[in-house]
Amino acid sequence: MEPDQNNFSIEEHQENGLKDLLIKYLYNWKWFVLSVIVSLFLGVVYLRYQTPLYEVNAAILIKDDKKGDVMSELSAFEDLGILKNNKNIDNEIEILKSRSLMTRVVNELKLNISYFVKGRPLEHERFFNTPVTIEYFLKDSTKKEFGGNWILIPESNESFTLKNSENELIGKYKFGHEINLGAANVIFKTTGYFDDYYVNKTLRVVISSVNQVVDKYLDAIKVTPVNKNANAITISLRDPLADKAAAIVDNLIKHHNLDAIADKNQVSRNTAEFINERIKFITNELSDVEGEAEEYKTKHKLTDVKSEAEIFLKTGSESELSIVEAGTQLKFAEYMAEDLDKRTELDEMIPANIGLQDGTISAMIGDYNRLVLERNRILKNSSVKNPVIEIIDGQLMALRRNLKQSLANLKTSLQIKLKELDKQEGGINSKIATVPKYEREFRTIQRQQQIKEALYLYLLQKREETSIALAVTVANAKVIDKAYSNGTMVAPKKQIVYLAAFLLGLIFPVIIFYILDLMDTKVHGKNDIDRIRIPFIGDIPQSLLKERMILTAGNNSNIAEAFRLLRTNVEFITNNSSAGNKTIFVTSTIGKEGKSFIALNLAASFSLSGKKTLLIGADLRAPKILEYLELPERNGLTSYIKNPDLKIDDIVFKAPDLDNFDILSSGPIPPNPAELLMHPRVADLFDQLKKRYEWIVVDTAPVGLVADTLLMSAYADCTIFVARANYLDKRLLRVAETLNKEKRLPKMAILINGSDYKRGYGYGYGYGYGYAYGGYGYGKEKQKPRWRTILGI
C-alpha cells in the first residue's frame, strides 16, 4: 500500500507525545495518589524527628586605614598583587574561615563538650543553661585528646548514677568528686540551672574530638561580603542552639581582631628592613638583565626582528607561488604527452588550450589540428591514396614527432626549474624558522628588564612612604551588629519539605513507569507501529470470549465493530485495483499472533455485507481454520495440488450459519509445504477462484519463520500484517519494515490484534459499545475482578 494513496491509515500529524503520557498517567492516577500520601506521611515523620536549626548573623566593617590618614604597613604592597593589605575583603573572609581561628574558639568555649537532656521524642542540647558540667584531667601529658559518651541520672543535687553509652552501669558518685575513667579523671558538677526537675531525668554528656568539632563548624559557618562596593562582611551560622551559635560567631570576631593586632605589630618592625633588602637585590638583577640584552643583540646582529621577519615571509610566499605554477605546468605537459600517445590515428585532433603556457607547443597543436581538419575535409570526397592526403599525412607525422620532442624538452626544463625553486625555498624557510626563536629569546630578556626596572622604581617610592608610616595597633574589624537570631526556625522548612514530598510522590511513579517502559519490549499500539513507517490499517480489541467466530448477524460488540471498520479500510485500500475481485493475504511475523482469527472474521465480515467471499487456509504447517470452526478434517489446498483429479467444488464447502461464505481449508499437513506452493496448480486455482468470488481472504504462514507466504505474494492484492499486542517483540517489527521497503508483499498494512483499551492502547470502535471488558452484544464477556479494577491492571 502506497502511503500517498491511502491516507486513511497514516495520520497527517504525529500524535502528541505529551498527551499520550498524560493519558497513560491519568489512567494510573491511583498509584500517584497513593505515592503522594506515602510521601507526605514520610515528610511528617521527617519533620517530627528532625532537629530544628536556627540562624544567627553578625556584621563587621573592615577598616580602610588610608581613609583615616594612617597608612597600614601592608599597604606598601597592595597594588603589586602579591601582598594585599588587610582591607582586602577576600583575604579577611579566608582568615575568618581559617582552621586555626576556629580551633581557638572551640577550645575557649569548650565546644567539644556537649550536654543533652532527654525529651520527647528527641534529645535537647543545652549550652549556657546546662544543669551539669564536666571537667577532665588527662593522666598522660603527651596526649591532648580525650573522648567519651556517658549517661547521668541525678538522684538528687548531690549524687548521680553514671552509665556508659551502652547503658551499662559504671557506678554511683557524688557531684564534685573526681572519678577515674581510664585515660582521664573527670569531675561532674551541678550548675545554677539544676533543680528538682532534673532529678531522675536522663542526661547525656559527650566529649568529642576537637578536630571533628572544628571541621563541623568550618563547614557550617558562612562568611560573605555585604556587596561588591562595601567593606562590610556578614557572618552566619546555623545551629540547633541560637545562644551557642551567637557565642561562636562573637568569639570568632574577637579572635580575628586579636590576630590582626598581633600581625600589625610584627609587620611594623619588619617592613622597612624587607624593602631595603629587596632594593639591593633588584639593583643587581637590573644591571645583569640590561647587560644580557646588549650582548644578545650584538651576537645575533639584530636591529629590528619584526621587520626582518616580514621580508622573509614575503619572499617565501613568492617562492611558493612559483613552485605551484611550475608544478602545474609540468602536470599539463605530462597529461598532453600521455594523450598524444593514446591518439594513434591521424584523423584525431589534439586537445588545445589546456593551460600550457609554452607558445611554441600551442602553435604546433594549432597547426596539427588545422591539418587534421583539412585532411578530414578532403577525405570526404577522396581516398587515403590521394597524393594530397599522403603529403598531409607526412606533415602530421612530422608535427607529432616535433610535438613529442617539445613536450619532453618542456618537462625536462620544468623539472630543473622545480628543483631550483625547492632549493631556494629551503633556504628561505630556514631563515624564517630562526626568526621566532630570536624574537622569543629577546622578548624574554626584554620582559625581565622591564619587570626589574618597574620593581626598582616601585620599591624606591614605597621606601619613602613606609619611613613615615605610623605603627597602628587598632583592630581591623569594627563590629556593626553582634551575633543575633530572631528565633525563627530556618531548617527544616515545613513548606519546602511538604513540597518536596509532594513532588517526590508525583515523580516516583513516573520513574517506575518509565523504567517499566524501558524494560517493555512488546508491541502495544499504534505508537509502536508509527516508528517503522508502515501504514496502519486498524486494531482489534482484546476479548475474553472463547468463541473464535465473532462476526455473526446482529452482533454489535466492540470487536464486531472493529472488524467492520477493518473491512471498510481494506475496501478503501483495494478500490484502485484493476481487477474486479480482490485477494487479501493475512500474515504475521511469528505464530500465535491471531492471523487465522483475523482472517476468519474478516472473511465473515465481507460475507455479511452481501459479498461472495472465500476463506483459504494457506498456512500448511499449522492450520487453524477447521479447529476454530470445530469442523472435522477434509480435503483442502494440499489435496487439490497433489491430486489433479480433484475439482474446486470437491474442496470448497459452505461455512456454517453464514450466507455467501465459503471455506477452502489447508488439507492434510504436507512434508514439503514450500515446494508444494510453487506448483502450477496453485496459480490455476487462484485464477478460477477469482472468477467465482468477489473477496478471497487467505490465511498464510508467518513470514518471519518460513517463506511460504512470499512464494504466493503474486496472487495478493493487499496484505494485512497482524501484530499481536502485548505479545510480539518490537524488534521483530523490522521484519515487516524490511518486507515493505523491498515491496515483497503488495500493499502491506499493519493490524494490531488484542489492543487493551483500558491501558490506553488502541482507539475504540462503535458508539456506546463498551471496551474489552464488560462489553455487550454477541456473547457475554467476563467482567474484571474488583481488585483488578481498583489497582488499574
Side-chain angles (χ1 to χ4, degrees):
M1 180 176 65
E2 297 298 331
D4 56 336
Q5 296 175 353
N6 298 280
N7 293 331
F8 74 93
S9 61
I10 299 179
E11 296 182 353
E12 294 181 0
H13 303 284
Q14 294 292 333
E15 291 182 354
N16 191 322
L18 179 60
K19 181 179 178 182
D20 293 340
L21 282 177
L22 289 176
I23 292 173
K24 177 180 177 181
Y25 292 151
L26 287 175
Y27 172 76
N28 295 283
W29 65 270
K30 306 176 191 68
W31 291 108
F32 284 88
V33 172
L34 178 62
S35 178
V36 168
I37 293 173
V38 172
S39 296
L40 291 176
F41 174 75
L42 293 176
V44 172
V45 173
Y46 171 80
L47 291 173
R48 181 74 175 89
Y49 289 93
Q50 187 69 13
T51 302
L53 295 179
Y54 301 90
E55 184 176 82
V56 298
N57 295 281
I60 61 174
L61 178 66
I62 305 302
K63 295 180 181 179
D64 187 348
D65 293 334
K66 286 186 178 181
K67 293 181 180 179
D69 295 328
V70 181
M71 186 184 71
S72 171
E73 292 81 1
L74 285 179
S75 66
F77 300 99
E78 67 170 318
D79 47 358
L80 269 177
I82 55 173
L83 287 176
K84 294 186 179 181
N85 69 355
N86 57 2
K87 70 181 186 308
N88 185 289
I89 299 299
D90 293 335
N91 285 351
E92 294 302 321
I93 289 174
E94 293 302 318
I95 293 172
L96 286 166
K97 293 169 62 177
S98 66
R99 187 178 189 82
S100 59
L101 207 61
M102 184 59 73
T103 302
R104 291 204 290 272
V105 173
V106 170
N107 288 330
E108 180 174 326
L109 297 177
K110 297 182 179 179
L111 298 177
N112 62 317
I113 303 176
S114 303
Y115 304 94
F116 299 91
V117 178
K118 188 173 182 180
R120 298 175 61 186
L122 302 175
E123 286 185 328
H124 300 285
E125 185 180 0
R126 300 295 178 85
F127 186 61
F128 288 122
N129 59 346
T130 176
V132 298
T133 59
I134 184 175
E135 294 180 2
Y136 61 90
F137 310 95
L138 295 173
K139 295 179 179 180
D140 188 350
S141 59
T142 60
K143 294 183 178 179
K144 297 182 179 180
E145 293 285 348
F146 172 68
N149 190 339
W150 301 277
I151 298 174
L152 280 77
I153 304 176
E155 297 176 349
S156 66
N157 61 350
E158 294 182 354
S159 62
F160 63 93
T161 299
L162 184 65
K163 297 181 180 180
N164 60 18
S165 57
E166 285 77 26
N167 208 28
E168 297 173 348
L169 180 64
I170 298 177
K172 294 185 178 182
Y173 306 97
K174 290 186 177 182
F175 287 110
H177 287 207
E178 196 170 286
I179 304 171
N180 183 2
L181 291 180
N185 294 328
V186 301
I187 299 175
F188 291 98
K189 298 179 181 180
T190 60
T191 68
Y193 294 99
F194 188 91
D195 55 27
D196 293 340
Y197 170 81
Y198 296 102
V199 176
N200 295 325
K201 294 286 185 180
T202 300
L203 309 178
R204 190 161 62 93
V205 180
V206 179
I207 300 179
S208 305
S209 167
V210 172
N211 289 329
Q212 291 178 353
V213 176
V214 170
D215 290 337
K216 170 187 173 183
Y217 287 109
L218 284 177
D219 291 337
I221 199 162
K222 293 183 179 179
V223 184
T224 56
V226 174
N227 57 60
K228 295 181 179 179
N229 300 320
N231 285 350
I233 292 175
T234 299
I235 304 173
S236 304
L237 178 63
R238 291 184 177 185
D239 196 81
L241 298 177
D243 56 350
K244 182 180 180 181
I248 293 172
V249 172
D250 288 339
N251 273 266
L252 188 68
I253 297 172
K254 182 185 77 172
H255 283 284
H256 169 266
N257 286 336
L258 292 175
D259 276 357
I261 292 172
D263 289 342
K264 285 184 178 183
N265 288 334
Q266 181 64 33
V267 169
S268 63
R269 291 191 295 267
N270 296 335
T271 301
E273 181 181 351
F274 173 79
I275 292 177
N276 288 328
E277 290 179 356
R278 295 306 301 171
I279 287 177
K280 292 180 182 179
F281 183 77
I282 293 298
T283 301
N284 294 332
E285 285 192 341
L286 182 59
S287 178
D288 294 340
V289 171
E290 289 176 345
E292 186 178 353
E294 180 183 354
E295 182 181 352
Y296 188 86
K297 281 191 173 183
T298 303
K299 178 180 178 182
H300 295 287
K301 300 178 181 179
L302 297 177
T303 55
D304 189 346
V305 178
K306 183 177 180 181
S307 299
E308 292 179 1
E310 291 178 353
I311 294 172
F312 290 152
L313 289 173
K314 182 178 180 182
T315 306
S317 299
E318 294 174 352
S319 178
E320 259 187 53
L321 290 174
S322 299
I323 291 173
V324 171
E325 184 179 352
T328 304
Q329 290 296 309
L330 179 60
K331 285 294 182 182
F332 284 156
E334 291 174 351
Y335 294 156
M336 179 59 73
E338 292 174 1
D339 186 76
L340 193 61
D341 291 337
K342 293 177 183 178
R343 300 179 188 276
T344 57
E345 300 297 331
L346 295 178
D347 59 349
E348 293 181 302
M349 291 190 293
I350 300 174
N353 299 324
I354 64 170
L356 284 175
Q357 297 178 357
D358 191 294
T360 304
I361 294 176
S362 298
M364 293 174 66
I365 292 173
D367 293 341
Y368 185 88
N369 288 337
R370 282 193 295 273
L371 286 174
V372 170
L373 290 173
E374 180 67 19
R375 181 179 184 275
N376 292 339
R377 185 182 61 80
I378 296 173
L379 279 175
K380 289 180 181 180
N381 302 311
S382 180
S383 66
V384 293
K385 295 184 178 181
N386 188 317
V388 177
I389 296 298
E390 291 178 353
I391 293 172
I392 292 175
D393 287 347
Q395 292 176 347
L396 288 173
M397 293 297 293
L399 279 173
R400 285 177 67 89
R401 287 192 298 272
N402 293 337
L403 187 57
K404 286 184 178 181
Q405 184 60 43
S406 297
L407 287 172
N409 294 338
L410 179 60
K411 286 195 292 183
T412 301
S413 63
L414 288 172
Q415 289 170 351
I416 294 172
K417 182 179 180 180
L418 276 174
K419 289 181 181 180
E420 186 62 29
L421 288 172
D422 287 338
K423 183 177 179 181
Q424 292 177 4
E425 187 182 29
I428 294 171
N429 289 337
S430 63
K431 291 181 180 180
I432 293 174
T434 59
V435 170
K437 176 183 176 183
Y438 291 156
E439 184 176 8
R440 175 181 55 79
E441 292 177 350
F442 181 71
R443 288 191 62 177
T444 301
I445 297 171
Q446 191 178 39
R447 189 181 303 113
Q448 291 296 322
Q449 180 184 4
Q450 293 172 350
I451 292 172
K452 302 301 181 184
E453 184 177 349
L455 283 173
Y456 178 75
L457 296 175
Y458 184 83
L459 288 172
L460 287 178
Q461 177 186 352
K462 293 305 174 183
R463 182 171 63 178
E464 297 302 318
E465 293 177 358
T466 306
S467 64
I468 59 174
L470 298 176
V472 179
T473 56
V474 295
N476 284 357
K478 177 183 178 181
V479 178
I480 301 174
D481 291 318
K482 295 188 69 174
Y484 170 77
S485 173
N486 58 9
T488 303
M489 184 177 66
V490 295
K493 292 185 179 294
K494 291 185 179 181
Q495 297 88 342
I496 295 178
V497 171
Y498 288 139
L499 178 60
F502 179 77
L503 293 177
L504 286 174
L506 292 178
I507 292 173
F508 184 73
V510 172
I511 295 174
I512 296 300
F513 289 135
Y514 178 73
I515 293 174
L516 291 176
D517 285 343
L518 287 180
M519 298 174 64
D520 185 11
T521 61
K522 302 300 182 183
V523 172
H524 295 293
K526 184 177 181 299
N527 287 341
D528 299 318
I529 304 303
D530 289 341
R531 299 172 184 170
I532 61 171
R533 299 180 181 178
I534 295 180
F536 177 72
I537 197 171
D539 56 356
I540 304 299
Q542 182 182 359
S543 173
L544 298 180
L545 293 173
K546 295 182 179 179
E547 291 83 357
R548 302 293 185 177
M549 188 68 171
I550 303 296
L551 265 292
T552 58
N555 182 5
N556 294 323
S557 67
N558 62 317
I559 299 180
E561 292 301 318
F563 276 108
R564 291 187 177 98
L565 180 58
L566 175 62
R567 178 190 67 199
T568 304
N569 291 342
V570 171
E571 289 174 345
F572 185 81
I573 293 175
T574 57
N575 63 358
N576 294 328
S577 176
S578 58
N581 301 330
K582 311 297 189 300
T583 302
I584 311 301
F585 275 23
V586 181
T587 187
S588 62
T589 307
I590 57 177
K592 298 184 180 180
E593 294 196 66
K595 60 179 180 56
S596 299
F597 169 75
I598 299 296
L600 176 63
N601 287 280
L602 178 61
S605 177
F606 280 120
S607 69
L608 288 174
S609 67
K611 306 291 185 181
K612 193 170 184 181
T613 307
L614 174 68
L615 172 63
I616 300 177
D619 188 354
L620 305 184
R621 302 172 188 265
K624 296 290 183 181
I625 300 298
L626 295 179
E627 179 184 340
Y628 287 174
L629 296 174
E630 299 180 355
L631 297 176
E633 293 291 337
R634 62 181 69 199
N635 288 332
L637 180 60
T638 55
S639 306
Y640 179 82
I641 298 172
K642 290 181 178 181
N643 188 354
D645 295 331
L646 285 176
K647 305 300 181 183
I648 291 179
D649 293 334
D650 299 331
I651 57 176
V652 173
F653 63 94
K654 185 180 182 302
D657 302 326
L658 285 175
D659 296 331
N660 301 317
F661 188 9
D662 292 342
I663 298 175
L664 196 165
S665 65
S666 59
I669 299 176
N672 56 342
E675 290 75 13
L676 205 62
L677 292 174
M678 298 171 64
H679 199 280
R681 280 179 65 82
V682 175
D684 178 64
L685 175 65
F686 275 97
D687 288 340
Q688 295 184 56
L689 292 176
K690 285 188 176 183
K691 297 175 182 178
R692 295 188 178 194
Y693 297 95
E694 296 178 80
W695 289 95
I696 301 174
V697 180
V698 185
D699 175 24
T700 64
V703 295
L705 302 177
V706 294
D708 298 3
T709 304
L710 300 178
L711 295 174
M712 300 190 300
S713 62
Y715 310 128
D717 296 305
C718 168
T719 304
I720 299 176
F721 203 99
V722 179
R724 182 177 172 185
N726 307 315
Y727 178 78
L728 180 65
D729 194 304
K730 296 176 185 178
R731 293 167 291 185
L732 292 179
L733 290 174
R734 297 299 177 188
V735 175
E737 184 180 28
T738 302
L739 292 174
N740 185 57
K741 187 183 297 184
E742 297 175 355
K743 300 186 181 303
R744 302 185 67 182
L745 290 173
K747 292 188 178 180
M748 182 190 296
I750 284 192
L751 173 72
I752 300 295
N753 182 29
S755 297
D756 186 355
Y757 297 108
K758 296 297 284 182
R759 292 186 177 274
Y761 306 124
Y763 294 88
Y765 299 92
Y767 180 76
Y769 294 111
Y771 292 94
Y773 299 100
Y776 62 87
Y778 175 78
K780 181 178 178 64
E781 298 181 359
K782 290 185 179 180
Q783 297 288 339
K784 281 201 300 184
R786 180 69 175 169
W787 66 272
R788 294 187 65 181
T789 303
I790 294 173
L791 295 179
I793 59 176

